[in-house]
Amino acid sequence: MDYLQACACLAGWRDSLIWGITGDRHGAGSRRRSKMPIKIDRRGLDQLIKNAKELDGKHQVKMVDMLSPQFVSAHSKFDDLASLFAASGFKIDGPDDFAAIPDDQWDAFIAANTDFENWAEMQKAGHLHYVKGRLNKGL
């Protein structure tokens, strides 16, 4: 079960999150019991479910959003993706320029200048960082 399926499962029973606790007020062996309801503030759970629903389906995410300045600066000496691109020595003025860079040369640059062994690993980690940020939005 993946994370979104788990959130959907939680959504199915979130309205029943008032639990009854049976307590024995009159000592061991007594037959009199009372139920004390406990109310749970589930605003955080509701927000998490809302965030998960917003992530459901296919989305196009800009590379600068997925590889945010926070992410790039945490995993390299660069402040943001534009700085990383500028330091690469490759002409990158658009998607076509980026696609024209030989994969092995780009992977070597990423391995030498980031915490990742190659571009695919950096993108995968950036995607995970992006999704975690979106899931935790407002919590």
Side-chain angles (χ1 to χ4, degrees):
M1 176 182 301
D2 66 20
Y3 196 76
L4 292 178
Q5 289 171 327
C7 288
C9 191
L10 290 173
W13 58 268
R14 69 177 178 206
D15 292 331
S16 63
L17 285 177
I18 297 177
W19 302 331
I21 297 178
T22 303
D24 186 350
R25 297 182 313 149
H26 302 285
S30 172
R31 293 179 186 204
R32 296 177 62 182
R33 297 192 187 272
S34 65
K35 289 190 177 185
M36 179 176 58
I38 297 175
K39 293 203 180 226
I40 296 175
D41 179 0
R42 60 177 206 242
R43 287 178 291 189
L45 177 60
D46 291 341
Q47 183 65 46
L48 179 64
I49 291 167
K50 178 182 176 222
N51 293 347
K53 285 179 181 178
E54 289 174 3
L55 284 171
D56 191 26
K58 292 184 178 184
H59 301 270
Q60 286 191 347
V61 179
K62 293 179 183 178
M63 192 179 301
V64 296
D65 293 334
M66 185 174 73
L67 302 176
S68 68
Q70 178 188 15
F71 177 81
V72 172
S73 64
H75 295 285
S76 73
K77 63 182 180 182
F78 305 105
D79 293 333
D80 54 28
L81 193 59
S83 300
L84 183 135
F85 284 171
S88 72
F90 297 104
K91 178 184 174 261
I92 306 174
D93 291 329
D96 293 335
D97 292 336
F98 187 72
I101 300 170
D103 290 343
D104 60 334
Q105 291 178 25
W106 185 249
D107 284 340
F109 173 76
I110 294 299
N113 291 282
T114 72
D115 297 338
F116 305 100
E117 291 185 28
N118 57 50
W119 179 237
E121 283 185 16
M122 185 172 179
Q123 289 180 92
K124 184 177 178 180
H127 180 256
L128 182 60
H129 175 80
Y130 175 80
V131 169
K132 282 182 180 179
R134 293 285 308 270
L135 279 173
N136 291 320
K137 181 179 77 175
L139 296 178

